[in-house]
Amino acid sequence: MWTKETLQSLIKEKMSDYLFIVVSNREPYIHTYEGEETKCIFPASGMVTALDPVMKSCGGVWVAHGSGSADRETVDEKGHVRVPPEDPRYTLRRVWLSKEEENKYYYGFSNEGLWPLCHIAYTRPVFRREDWEAYVAVNQKFADAVLEEIGGRKAFVFIQDYHLALISRMIKEKNPNCITAQFWHIPWPNREAFRVCPWQDDILHGMLGNDLLGFHIQYHCNNFLDTVDRGIEAKVDYERFQVMRGGKTTLVKAFPISVDYSDIAEQCGRPAIEAETKRLIKEYDLRGQIVGFGADRIDYTKGIPDRLRAIDIFFEKNPQYQGKVSFVQIGALSRIHIPQYKEINDEITRMAVDINYKYATGHWKPVHVAKGHFGRLTLEAMYKLSRFCVVSSLHDGMNLVSKEFVAARTDGDGVLILSRFTGASRELTDAVAVNPYAADDFADAVKTAIEMPPEERQKRMARMRETVARNNIYRWAAKIISELLKFEFKEI
Ligand code: GDG
């Protein structure tokens, strides 16, 4: 069983003379102004949720875009700030982007291009040459910041996600001796889908600068190998899951990401959770109710309208539950400058209003939608007080909300309704599996979850808790680091 401590000793024993650098677009701590005061927030991001505990254990430097309004005020002249602010454990190096760079590289190429390209959610990707040019330039900016941090030291560089597909190659051009790994947090589509990207060759060439490439599940690895095999000049070794291109080998492997199970379990035992539970019950009028819960970034891949549709059908088909079941959806606003994100946000509000208009009586409201950025305490209290949690992504690399719900259920109760199209559904086989597109079946699954006998709920939850406890975030990091240690570091 991997724990924070065993990961720390692996790092101490094997990596002490290496600098460990994580690089991502999103920063783990964002400083913003709230009136005169500065506030530090932890963003709603699966990647940050997963990597922050690892960095707290390893130390090192995290290079990321400084996106908060007060970020510049809180760093030194090198763009450094020690984080977490209340108990500093590692260094955050902020990279500054202009509004135009952010619009074209982040909102444009990354999120209107690559994000819909990699998710099968029937949203058409948009590719603009100017966005691509900004993407290349910003990748170079991140690569330069990483090179500056490395200086002349031995380094492992751990690159996160689709925003930075080109940087391993850029880093190695200047410093061929550092070891780089990249984890792709979203699905990799099949080659038919990927080939519509006008810069597919450049992206594949960039990614193959890495020594190691990680995806959540084997299926995404296979799709990647197939895309390379058919798309560019390279030798794909399906036995060893390697790609050889221009004398360089890249190992492609699945590492299912997870959460800090023991930390969540510990946090959920705090007395503050009880007080927060009481507050939430009062705020949403949940006394005596069977509560269902969903928490997501508001994104068209998360299937939030599909889940509301299922709740609507459930009440229509099962009027005996009207007045007895309440569904609470919390949603963190995300990428709101992109038209599809504005639309999905409005659609969710409209649907909630319609469902409530249809069924609400007296004090009872079937659906509560709360948008905004919620603290961890609120999320954990909601996980604990709910009878069932709904994760209905149309497509999701892994999905950490499902694993957080399981980790939070220290009482061993609760039912997870989980989309078959998440990476998590491969591990959490005791969830009630749904196809979010099949609205009637989905509504039946809500009924199944509500009517599941307590012994059955506990049996399923116990098995899921065992899985998440074992396959925790420290195991994920340890597997990647152990793989990285196999690559020989050549002295400059
Ligand atoms: C990508 C992939 C993959 C949500 N609302 C609030 C809040 N959250 C937190 C949740 C969870 C995280 O955000 C969301 O994680 P997911 O995994 O569900 O989704 P993505 O952000 O899309 O992440 C995904 C992940 O990367 C990791 O590899 O699993 O497939 O798409 O931790 O709790 N957190 C706070 N306030 C909120 O209002 N603080």
Side-chain angles (χ1 to χ4, degrees), residues 44-46 49 185 216 297 302 374 379 396-400 404:
S45 150
T49 304
H185 289 258
H216 290 298
R297 273 188 311 102
K302 301 291 181 188
F374 297 84
L379 269 171
D396 217 330
M398 176 54 68
N399 189 280
L400 295 183
E404 286 168 3

Side-chain angles (χ1 to χ4, degrees), residues 42-47 49-50 115 119 161 183 185-186 216 257 295-297 302 330-332 372-376 379 383 396-401 404:
F42 189 76
S45 150
M47 183 277 298
T49 304
W115 178 269
H119 288 93
D161 240 351
F183 193 79
H185 289 258
I186 62 176
H216 290 298
I257 210 164
D296 310 77
R297 273 188 311 102
K302 301 291 181 188
I330 72 171
H373 187 84
F374 297 84
R376 202 173 148 185
L379 269 171
Y383 287 141
D396 217 330
M398 176 54 68
N399 189 280
L400 295 183
V401 169
E404 286 168 3

